[in-house]
């Protein structure tokens, strides 16, 4: 079975001339000769990015998913290929409703006809991993039921095994491939795909995001997140509140409905930076297919988040790195940017600060010839990552995910309002974040967080100090042992030297008696 799949991959690769794409990446004389032979005088009509995208779509949903994940690694792959892979779409026919009903019964212990007052047999949406059915519960609540596609785990394992094999071969053959780290990319895809196959994990992501934007909270007006109904969730089934709205890309419809499009663009950016700098937990798949806008009277113009398979988390260290980098960039303090990279520990300690500063200046300075509204923070972050990679920096996965999401948000915001100034929206969050963590406010917050731990440790402190001071001084005994060990080692060295001298003398005497000398 795996052999037949490998043969199909090979045939499709040849059809779309991926052999030419692979050979052109090898800097070796034999690769150039093979490339001339493979072309046989013909040059492909489409660009390499288009050919790769068409090949991945032909290979099926798992390879489409891989291409979508690969498109987020703009720090690793060329821009023309990344731009084309963004266009990859899941065109997957829905699986039979009977199979969906069977999975629901196996997972929840009862058929849909008993669990719900009404269950729509035809799915409202179908993708490579799962499909969604609308339903109504017995108490009248409208819900959406997401059901995992049957046999997915077994199917993906075979394709992942082939991907690992190809990645290993590619990495061994090409120095450039080793820089792109294909095995690392496949491992990242493996983790992402297995996470997406666990709908309980997605439900927990949804629940966390809803808790951050509760309807009755001060920020509840920014984003609507569906409620998860845990009694109707399992590894292969997720049931959540049904949301009513239209994709954010339907700008004309929203404008006709009375939505302020410019305000909508600004709020979208505000939602993103709220998630990043306030929560450290963000929806990392914010493309138009997953972001809707409510068209209901009571919530007109509110954003709606859907599909929580991919989320990102940031530590306090990550948030500090981002905030200070952005602030230093807009202050044109490139020495500070370089120092932040070195202080993060991601740059080898032998890196010269002024050399890194010069490289960062070459990346960032051209942006200041443009109006602030034309500056892409996502591109700035991407260029910083690319520059860092030249200095052998390992960029953390969560920051790559953030950079990809920031590009999505910028594209979304400027599609709604081409004059959107992201910096004007981001700056208050960065300044507030720095103010809350530096100075008296930050000190008070940290002391409050650590108070419980200190309350336990402080009463024990006198006893621990007394115990430490009461311990006998073991230093003289340790020094005595070290002296004995040194004497023993010196004695052994003298003995070994004497043995070697005697051996050499014996050899010389033997040579003399045998007449060699």
């Amino acid at each position: 079975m795996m052999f037949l799949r490998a043969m199909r991959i090979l045939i499709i690769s040849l059809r779309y001339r991926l052999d030419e794409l692979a050979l052109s990446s090898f800097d070796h004389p034999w690769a150039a000769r093979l490339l001339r032979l493979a072309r046989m005088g013909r040059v492909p009509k489409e660009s390499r990015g288009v050919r790769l995208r068409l090949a991945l779509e032909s290979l099926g949903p798992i390879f489409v998913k891989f291409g979508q994940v690969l498109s987020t690694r703009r720090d690793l792959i060329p821009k023309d290929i990344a731009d084309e892979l963004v266009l990859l779409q899941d065109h997957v026919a829905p699986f039979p409703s009977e199979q969906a009903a069977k999975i629901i019964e196996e997972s929840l212990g009862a058929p849909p006809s008993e669990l719900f007052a009404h269950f729509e047999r035809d799915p409202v949406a179908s993708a490579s991993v799962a499909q969604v059915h609308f339903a109504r519960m017995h108490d009248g609540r409208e819900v959406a039921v997401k059901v995992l596609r049957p046999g997915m785990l077994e199917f993906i394992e075979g394709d992942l095994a082939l991907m690992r094999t190809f990645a290993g071969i590619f990495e061994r053959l090409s120095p450039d491939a080793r820089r792109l780290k294909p095995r690392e990319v496949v491992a990242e895809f493996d983790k992402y795909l297995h996470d997406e196959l666990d709908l309980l994990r997605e439900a927990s992501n949804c629940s966390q995001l809803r808790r951050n934007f509760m309807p009755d909270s001060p920020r509840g007006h920014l984003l609507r997140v569906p409620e998860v109904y845990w009694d109707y969730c399992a590894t292969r089934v997720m049931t959540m509140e049904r949301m009513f709205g239209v994709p954010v890309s339907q700008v004309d419809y929203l404008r006709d409905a009375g939505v302020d499009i410019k305000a909508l663009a600004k709020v979208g950016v505000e939602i993103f930076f709220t998630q990043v700098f306030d929560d450290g937990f963000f929806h990392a798949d914010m493309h138009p297919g997953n972001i809707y806008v409510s068209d209901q009277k009571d919530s007109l113009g509110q954003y709606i988040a859907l599909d929580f398979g991919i989320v990102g988390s940031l530590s306090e260290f990550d948030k500090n790195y981002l905030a200070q980098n952005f602030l230093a960039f807009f202050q044109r303090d490139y020495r500070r940017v370089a120092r932040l990279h070195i202080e993060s520990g991601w740059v080898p300690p032998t890196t010269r600060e002024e050399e890194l500063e010069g490289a960062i200046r070459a990346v960032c300075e051209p942006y200041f010839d443009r109006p602030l509204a034309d500056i892409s923070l996502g591109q700035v972050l991407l260029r910083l990552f690319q520059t860092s990679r030249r200095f052998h920096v390992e960029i953390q996965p969560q920051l790559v995910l953030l950079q990809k999401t920031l590009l999505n948000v910028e594209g979304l915001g400027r599609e709604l309002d081409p004059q959107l100034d992201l910096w004007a929206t981001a700056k208050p969050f960065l300044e507030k974040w720095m103010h809350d963590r530096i100075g008296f406010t930050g000190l008070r917050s940290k002391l409050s967080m650590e108070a419980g731990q200190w309350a336990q440790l402080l009463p024990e402190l006198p006893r621990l100090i007394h115990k430490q001071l009461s311990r006998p001084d073991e230093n003289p005994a340790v020094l005595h042992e070290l002296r004995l060990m040194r004497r023993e080692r010196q004695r052994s060295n003298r003995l070994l030297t004497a043995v070697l001298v005697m051996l050499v003398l014996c050899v010389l005497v033997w040579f003399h008696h045998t007449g060699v000398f």
Side-chain angles (χ1 to χ4, degrees):
M1 186 68 179
M2 190 175 292
F3 174 75
L4 294 176
R5 181 64 171 161
M7 288 302 297
R8 173 172 167 74
I9 292 171
L10 179 61
I11 291 169
I12 290 177
S13 299
L14 292 173
R15 179 191 305 167
Y16 290 101
R17 305 305 308 275
L18 298 190
D19 54 329
E20 187 267 346
L21 176 62
L23 289 171
S24 63
S25 67
F26 295 136
D27 184 17
H28 197 279
W30 65 260
R33 287 193 289 270
L34 282 176
L35 181 58
R36 286 195 294 270
L37 182 63
R39 283 177 172 170
M40 292 185 292
R42 295 178 291 112
V43 177
K45 294 180 181 179
E46 291 90 359
S47 67
R48 59 182 183 175
V50 171
R51 285 182 282 126
L52 180 59
R53 174 176 61 80
L54 294 174
L56 292 173
E57 287 179 343
S58 300
L59 287 170
I62 302 304
F63 280 83
V64 168
K65 282 284 182 189
F66 179 67
Q68 290 172 338
V69 171
L70 195 61
S71 71
T72 68
R73 298 306 305 267
R74 289 174 178 264
D75 59 317
L76 293 178
I77 63 175
K79 182 180 183 298
D80 62 314
I81 292 180
D83 289 342
E84 196 64 38
L85 293 182
V86 169
L87 303 177
L88 282 167
Q89 299 292 327
D90 280 342
H91 298 294
V92 182
F95 57 89
S97 300
E98 292 76 15
Q99 285 185 301
K102 183 180 178 183
I103 291 172
I104 291 172
E105 183 172 2
E106 290 174 351
S107 301
L108 303 181
S113 57
E114 293 182 17
L115 293 168
F116 307 101
H118 173 71
F119 181 84
E120 293 188 10
R121 291 178 55 82
D122 295 330
V124 68
S126 176
S128 57
V129 170
Q131 66 186 34
V132 178
H133 296 258
F134 286 149
R136 186 175 64 254
M137 303 183 78
H138 291 290
D139 59 6
R141 288 177 294 178
E142 299 284 344
V143 297
V145 184
K146 188 171 185 177
V147 185
L148 197 68
R149 189 172 286 272
M152 279 299 296
L153 191 60
E154 296 78 8
F155 181 73
I156 68 169
E157 288 299 341
D159 277 359
L160 284 171
L162 287 172
M163 286 181 183
R164 292 187 199 100
T165 302
F166 292 148
I169 294 171
F170 194 48
E171 193 170 287
R172 283 194 295 271
L173 290 178
S174 168
D176 284 340
R178 284 193 287 276
R179 180 181 60 82
L180 297 177
K181 301 185 177 180
R183 286 191 291 185
E184 178 187 296
V185 172
V186 172
E188 183 180 325
F189 175 61
D190 187 349
K191 179 183 180 302
Y192 152 76
L193 199 55
H194 279 87
D195 286 350
E196 198 171 7
L197 291 178
D198 185 356
L199 294 186
L200 278 178
R201 178 186 289 269
E202 180 174 344
S204 67
N205 293 338
C206 176
S207 182
Q208 175 66 56
L209 195 61
R210 178 179 170 81
R211 196 156 54 247
N212 293 344
F213 290 89
M214 287 296 289
D216 56 351
S217 69
R219 59 166 78 163
H221 67 284
L222 294 176
L223 180 67
R224 291 171 61 84
V225 182
E227 181 180 358
V228 174
Y229 300 115
W230 288 104
D231 291 341
Y232 297 86
C233 291
T235 303
R236 295 189 293 165
V237 178
M238 175 183 171
T239 304
M240 56 188 164
E241 176 187 1
R242 179 178 176 180
M243 309 300 283
F244 295 89
V246 297
V248 68
S249 55
Q250 295 187 13
V251 179
D252 293 337
Y253 174 88
L254 292 169
R255 186 179 287 112
D256 293 341
V259 176
D260 185 339
I261 301 300
K262 285 197 171 185
L264 189 67
K266 185 176 179 181
V267 169
V269 178
E270 185 179 346
I271 289 170
F272 174 73
F273 282 106
T274 298
Q275 293 179 76
V276 170
F277 289 106
D278 285 352
D279 303 331
F281 182 87
F282 60 96
H283 190 301
D285 202 13
M286 295 179 70
H287 62 75
N290 290 338
I291 304 298
Y292 277 50
V293 178
S294 174
D295 58 356
Q296 304 297 297
K297 279 188 177 182
D298 60 338
S299 57
L300 181 65
Q302 279 189 271
Y303 277 100
I304 299 170
L306 300 173
D307 196 343
F308 308 92
I310 311 176
V311 297
S313 297
L314 298 174
S315 66
E316 289 298 316
F317 180 87
D318 296 330
K319 289 192 283 186
N320 180 66
Y321 169 86
L322 288 168
Q324 296 207 44
N325 262 297
F326 281 144
L327 287 170
F329 166 75
F330 281 101
Q331 293 165 0
R332 302 173 87 159
D333 186 355
Y334 304 123
R335 176 58 63 94
R336 179 63 182 147
V337 177
R339 193 172 297 124
L340 284 166
H341 278 68
I342 294 171
E343 289 173 355
S344 70
W346 298 339
V347 180
T350 55
T351 303
R352 294 177 59 189
E353 188 176 292
E354 60 276 13
E355 185 179 351
L356 182 57
E357 177 192 359
I360 292 170
R361 181 183 294 106
V363 166
C364 298
E365 193 65 24
Y367 283 96
F368 286 99
D369 291 333
R370 313 174 189 175
L372 279 176
D374 294 342
I375 295 177
S376 165
L377 293 184
Q379 287 293 342
V380 170
L381 200 58
L382 171 61
R383 295 294 301 275
L384 283 175
F385 288 171
Q386 291 171 334
T387 301
S388 300
R389 191 168 288 280
R390 284 174 44 206
F391 289 86
H392 309 290
V393 179
E394 292 296 328
I395 302 300
Q396 303 302 302
Q398 67 273 19
L399 294 183
V400 174
L401 197 59
L402 176 88
Q403 179 268 330
K404 168 254 185 185
T405 308
L406 183 52
L407 282 176
N408 281 345
V409 170
E410 284 185 315
L412 182 65
R414 285 186 172 141
E415 185 178 335
L416 296 172
D417 177 12
Q419 299 304 313
L420 178 67
D421 185 348
L422 264 77
W423 176 238
T425 306
K427 187 178 179 181
F429 284 92
L430 299 176
E431 291 178 341
K432 179 179 179 298
W433 190 88
M434 297 296 290
H435 178 266
D436 289 345
R437 283 154 182 79
I438 297 175
F440 180 73
T441 304
L443 178 62
R444 184 177 60 185
S445 175
K446 289 176 182 176
L447 287 175
S448 177
M449 289 176 60
E450 297 290 341
Q453 185 73 8
W454 281 107
Q456 290 183 330
L457 292 177
L458 284 174
E460 299 180 11
L461 198 57
R463 178 176 57 81
L464 293 174
I465 293 174
H466 179 267
K467 181 179 178 182
Q468 183 65 26
L469 293 175
S470 301
R471 291 177 58 184
D473 187 0
E474 297 177 352
N475 286 338
V478 172
L479 288 173
H480 179 67
E481 289 292 328
L482 288 174
R483 290 193 191 97
L484 290 177
M485 289 174 64
R486 186 173 64 181
R487 289 172 188 167
E488 186 63 30
R489 187 177 60 189
Q490 290 173 343
R491 188 181 298 112
S492 299
N493 289 342
R494 286 195 295 269
L495 179 61
L496 182 60
T497 302
V499 169
L500 287 173
V501 170
M502 291 296 296
L503 183 61
V504 170
L505 289 174
C506 290
V507 170
L508 291 174
V509 170
W510 182 79
F511 279 156
H512 177 74
H513 283 290
T514 54
V516 175
F517 293 147

